[in-house]
């Protein structure tokens, strides 16, 4: 507040945001169902192909969460192609979950979705900086209550929850090896962390979910 040129800086920021909003609307008009892209701070970011261990982990996480959520009627789970529209940016997380009160509002033709209750990002060489940087900050700023950062190479999960007082993420723990991962936002969801990376362990965990 002590900067003499504060009004000019505010005006510049407002002009920049108006231009960014114009580009964002162009992004929405251009985006098609067969394109994987995100809109981050005024720029369209295309998503590159990923390694086998990445899509294996994404598929394993999605299958477990989706089966559990559907069975228990807790909401909706999406993988990779669901565009979440936050205050400034648009992302396509690897996996995300909305509780029933939000999911009940979705329509069959909807392409833009509100902030989820849980977001999962699986690290790759090309996305790690963004997943740990701007997405980490932006997801918290938009009230996404739980965030998992999954490392498929080293087979561990960093689990974060939103601190209501600071508005920032706090690390619940790093889950690895024979540990179990317990979701904070998906009531009762608990699986061996190995089931996120190993397909045999995944099938066993999936069988447990379906039989309980």
């Amino acid at each position: 507040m002590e900067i003499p040129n504060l009004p000019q800086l505010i005006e510049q920021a407002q002009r920049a945001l108006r231009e960014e909003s114009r580009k964002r609307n162009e992004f929405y008009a251009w985006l098609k169902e067969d394109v994987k892209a995100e809109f981050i701070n005024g720029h369209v970011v295309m998503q590159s192909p990923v390694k086998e261990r990445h899509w294996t982990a994404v598929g394993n996480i999605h299958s477990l969460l989706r089966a559990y959520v559907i069975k228990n009627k807790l909401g909706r789970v999406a993988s990779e192609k669901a565009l979440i529209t936050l205050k400034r940016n648009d992302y396509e997380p690897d996996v995300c979950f909305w509780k029933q009160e939000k999911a009940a509002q979705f329509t069959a033709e909807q392409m833009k979705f509100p902030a989820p209750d849980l977001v999962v990002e699986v690290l790759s060489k090309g996305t790690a900086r963004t997943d740990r940087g701007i997405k980490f900050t932006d997801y918290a700023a938009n009230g996404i209550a739980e965030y998992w950062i999954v490392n498929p190479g080293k087979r561990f999960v960093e689990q974060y929850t939103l601190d209501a007082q600071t508005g920032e993420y706090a690390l619940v723990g790093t889950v690895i090896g024979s540990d179990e991962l317990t979701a904070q936002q998906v009531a009762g969801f608990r699986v061996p962390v190995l089931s996120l990376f190993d397909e045999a362990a995944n099938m066993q965990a999936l069988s447990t979910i379906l039989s309980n």
Side-chain angles (χ1 to χ4, degrees):
M1 295 300 295
E2 297 178 359
I3 302 175
N5 64 336
L6 181 60
Q8 290 90 339
L9 293 176
I10 292 174
E11 185 179 347
Q12 290 175 15
Q14 290 174 336
R15 283 200 304 267
L17 288 172
R18 286 195 295 270
E19 175 62 14
E20 185 174 288
S21 179
R22 183 188 65 79
K23 292 180 179 179
R24 194 178 191 186
N25 286 328
E26 290 180 348
F27 169 74
Y28 293 149
W30 164 81
L31 191 63
K32 300 292 185 278
E33 289 186 62
D34 60 345
V35 175
K36 183 169 173 59
E38 298 177 319
F39 187 84
I40 304 176
N41 291 355
H43 301 283
V44 177
V45 179
M46 301 298 295
Q47 300 301 305
S48 302
V50 296
K51 294 180 179 179
E52 187 273 346
R53 66 188 181 195
H54 182 282
W55 56 255
T56 295
V58 171
N60 288 344
I61 296 165
H62 179 253
S63 67
L64 294 172
L65 273 172
R66 183 174 182 272
Y68 183 84
V69 167
I70 290 175
K71 182 178 180 183
N72 293 282
K73 299 179 181 179
L74 296 177
R76 294 292 299 277
V77 176
S79 176
E80 296 189 296
K81 288 296 294 170
L83 185 73
I84 63 170
T85 300
L86 305 184
K87 292 177 183 176
R88 184 180 178 188
N89 297 319
D90 303 277
Y91 304 104
E92 291 187 338
D94 288 318
V95 181
C96 47
F97 160 75
W98 296 267
K99 292 182 179 179
Q100 187 61 37
E101 52 265 37
K102 292 182 182 178
Q105 306 301 316
F106 296 173
T107 66
E109 297 299 314
Q110 189 168 338
M111 284 188 63
K112 295 185 291 183
F113 298 90
D117 296 287
L118 164 68
V119 163
V120 182
E121 295 287 8
V122 178
L123 297 177
S124 65
K125 186 175 181 180
T127 67
R129 182 176 180 181
T130 302
D131 293 339
R132 294 189 179 280
I134 188 167
K135 287 187 176 182
F136 190 91
T137 302
D138 210 6
Y139 289 163
N142 282 271
I144 296 174
E146 186 172 359
Y147 183 31
W148 299 352
I149 295 179
V150 179
N151 189 317
K154 297 183 178 179
R155 294 190 167 192
F156 67 77
V157 179
E158 294 172 18
Q159 183 182 19
Y160 297 89
T161 57
L162 193 62
D163 187 308
Q165 293 184 336
T166 66
E168 298 177 348
Y169 283 129
L171 181 65
V172 175
T174 300
V175 191
I176 192 169
S178 59
D179 295 341
E180 288 193 327
L181 175 65
T182 302
Q184 304 293 308
Q185 292 299 309
V186 188
F189 182 81
R190 184 174 182 175
V191 294
V193 71
L194 183 61
S195 67
L196 309 186
F197 309 109
D198 180 85
E199 291 187 328
N202 179 264
M203 292 302 295
Q204 184 175 350
L206 184 60
S207 177
T208 301
I209 288 172
L210 295 175
S211 62
N212 286 343

